[in-house]
Structures are given as C-alpha cells and as structure tokens.
Amino acid sequence: MASGGNRMGNWLAAALWCAVPLLLVAAPAEARSGNSLQSARDAAIEQQVAAIVAQGRGRVGVAAVDLDGGGQIMINGDMPFPMASTAKIAIAATYLAGVEQGRLRLDQQFPMMVPVAESAESRGTVAAVRPGEVMTAQSLMELSITRSDNHATDGLIAAVGGIGAVNTWLSRIGVSGQHLDHTMATLVRDDGRVNPVTTIDTRTSSTPRAMAQLLTAIDRGGALSPESRAVLLDTMTRTSTGRNRIRSGLPEGVVFAHKTGTLAGVTDDVGIVRLPDGRHLAIAIFVTGPEGHTAHASMIAQIARVLYDGYSQPLLPSGMETARR
C-alpha cells in the first residue's frame, strides 16, 4: 500500500478485527448438537426479525451472517433493493484494489465532481458534472464514506475509470446480485422517478445476500489486502450518518463499521458489528416504504438489536468447554 497514514496505524493498533474466534472443544456428537443449536438460533432470530418487518408497508430486506460461527438469516435475501449510498463501499474498495495493483495511490490528487445545471433540452442519461475542489484520494474516500459526500464519491468513480470498473471488481471477487449503474449525481438527480415500494428496479441495486457477500469478502480478506482492508474498515467506523439506524440499536461502545444509504422512500444501513466475544456479524438492512426515514430508522434499529442480542448468545450446551486460539 502506497499510503495509509496514521489512520491505518490507529486501526491496527486498536486490533479491532484481530480478535480470534472461539474454538469448540467437543466430541463429534456434541459438534452435531452445536449445528442443531445453530439452526434453532437462526430460526428464532429470523422469526423475531420477520415480526418487525411485517409492521412495515413497503419492501424490506435483511441479511445477517455470523462470520465466525456460521449462522445466518435472510429475509427477502435475493430481492434487489436500491443501494443508494451503500454503493460507496464497493466504490472505495475498487479504488483500494487499484492501489494494490500499483495503478493508483492514496496520496494521489483528484477533483471532486460537482453537478452542473441542466435544462430540459440538455438533460442526458448521465447527469452533467464539472471538476471541483482537488484533494487526495484518501480525503475523497473519507468524505465519501464518513459523510456520504456525493461529489467526493463521483471523484472516486472518475478516478477508477467509471462505474464499469466497480462492476468488474465486484464480479472479480465473486459478488453477484449487486450492480452500479449510476454516478451519484445521476442517482440524486433522478431520485423519485421510480417508486421503490411497488417497482423492483435492478439498476444500482443489491440483494441483501449480495451485500452480505461483499461485507464478508472485505472482512475475511478475500477482497482486499490486509492494508486496504484496514483503511476501508477504519474509515467505515467513523461514519457520521445514520446514528438512529443500526448504531441506535447497538449497546453503547460496540465497534461498528458501516455505510448508510438514503433516497426517496429508501432507508439503508449495512456494516460489520463486533460481538462481545470477538466474532463479527455482517448486517445488511434495506427498507422501502411510505412511512418516512424516521420510521424506517426505528425499524432498522429494532432489527439490529434483535440481531445483536441473538447472535451474542453462546451456542454451547452447559458443560461444553471453550478455549481460545
């Protein structure tokens, strides 16, 4: 990695994602019992989440994957939902992949891309933009993720070679069901043209399962180098948007790396939660409906708390020993 600065050092020094999972010391029969317990836990958690989802008047998708224990739940897991700004995770990761390949640097400078006024006659498929303030790619990424800045994000899209480069990277790491079709300027300009409750628009969309795949690939090291992973996850822990979404449903002090997304009738939050014993839980929650963002955020927070509490519970029957690696 050409540049990571003190941010990377702070991340690694905190050893945030270095906690080792628990090992079960058990006989084969007990291991089989553990699988049964895991399935029962998943079913119980999914039932509670489904009850919350049923209160909404739109489409809701949820994916949660215990990255160390193997359990998971999916509600509308293979249904496409508007990604909104959660797409910025893949955009940042694509840039970091370019750094790994030696084509790009984090200290390299690029302009933000700022929308320009369009008349009805000049309006094109892609929103018109102009170069704005010039800053390092590291700063563009910081603004894109932590503040969900669209101008900075479009600067990164231009830097990697366009939205096609992002889709190529997603395909290369094996994520299917997630696709970027718009710049942020275009996405914002065209917001509201499609009702996300009644219409499944596959453009700039992701299934909950695909978003969980992306988060898993990043967290488990299959998508990025350890250095790139550290830069991205460190940045995601400092996201300042969506404090009343997943973050609101977690206990105080829980480590959480995430990205929010918001459009008309769309409220999203996706990320990785560190559970009390060091396991990691990938969560993707997409909510559409007429209730408004405040009501959607409340639903997301309720779902997040059920997921956190459910997957924080140990699977072991009484008497089963545990040991750390």
Side-chain angles (χ1 to χ4, degrees):
M1 179 72 59
S3 173
N6 291 331
R7 297 190 191 284
M8 184 189 302
N10 291 340
W11 173 271
L12 295 175
L16 211 46
W17 306 104
C18 296
V20 294
L22 294 176
L23 285 178
L24 303 185
V25 180
E30 290 174 311
R32 289 195 295 272
S33 173
N35 291 334
S36 176
L37 288 169
Q38 178 177 290
S39 297
R41 179 174 68 177
D42 288 347
I45 294 171
E46 186 165 316
Q47 185 176 28
Q48 293 179 68
V49 172
I52 298 170
V53 168
Q55 300 171 15
R57 291 186 286 158
R59 296 187 300 119
V60 179
V62 180
V65 181
D66 179 349
L67 300 181
D68 297 294
Q72 68 172 31
I73 71 158
M74 297 281 167
I75 294 177
N76 293 323
D78 296 310
M79 179 182 290
F81 287 85
M83 273 198 291
S85 287
T86 64
K88 293 169 182 174
I89 297 174
I91 294 165
T94 301
Y95 189 92
L96 289 167
V99 174
E100 293 173 13
Q101 295 162 7
R103 298 184 294 103
L104 299 166
R105 303 189 316 274
L106 284 174
D107 61 359
Q108 199 168 346
Q109 296 203 338
F110 299 97
M112 303 174 88
M113 301 307 292
V114 181
V116 300
E118 297 177 292
S119 65
E121 295 76 20
S122 65
R123 191 184 187 97
T125 303
V126 179
V129 294
R130 63 168 177 81
E133 182 181 356
V134 175
M135 59 184 67
T136 65
Q138 178 94 51
S139 297
L140 290 174
M141 193 177 303
E142 177 77 13
L143 290 171
S144 173
I145 298 293
T146 67
R147 301 186 191 178
S148 207
D149 188 289
N150 293 323
H151 304 169
T153 305
D154 281 341
L156 287 176
I157 291 176
V160 299
I163 58 178
V166 180
N167 293 324
T168 297
W169 180 80
L170 285 168
S171 178
R172 181 167 62 81
I173 67 167
V175 173
S176 59
Q178 182 170 142
H179 199 264
L180 182 66
D181 298 275
H182 303 85
T183 62
M184 293 298 112
T186 306
L187 199 63
V188 170
R189 185 197 66 181
D190 297 344
D191 188 19
R193 289 189 177 185
V194 175
N195 184 340
V197 179
T198 59
T199 303
I200 297 179
D201 188 349
T202 59
R203 296 174 303 166
T204 308
S205 69
S206 179
T207 65
R209 189 185 305 276
M211 185 59 77
Q213 287 176 342
L214 174 60
L215 295 171
T216 300
I218 291 170
D219 186 76
R220 299 290 96 169
L224 296 170
S225 69
E227 293 85 1
S228 295
R229 171 178 174 266
V231 171
L232 181 54
L233 291 180
D234 177 45
T235 306
M236 289 170 62
T237 60
R238 289 179 282 104
T239 292
S240 62
T241 58
R243 294 185 185 276
N244 59 346
R245 300 182 192 182
I246 292 177
R247 171 69 71 187
S248 178
L250 302 176
E252 187 70 26
V254 170
V255 176
F256 179 39
H258 72 123
K259 183 71 197 78
T260 58
T262 308
L263 289 170
V266 175
T267 313
D268 302 335
D269 202 0
V270 307
I272 302 166
V273 178
R274 186 179 180 189
L275 299 174
D277 64 0
R279 284 178 294 127
H280 295 170
L281 182 67
I283 299 176
I285 307 176
F286 300 117
V287 180
T288 70
E291 301 91 343
H293 298 306
T294 300
H296 289 175
S298 177
M299 174 183 286
I300 290 172
Q302 291 177 59
I303 292 171
R305 190 55 188 245
V306 168
L307 294 172
Y308 181 85
D309 288 346
Y311 282 106
S312 292
Q313 298 303 313
L315 274 177
L316 302 178
S318 59
M320 184 175 287
E321 298 177 357
T322 64
R324 288 190 180 274
R325 273 195 287 211

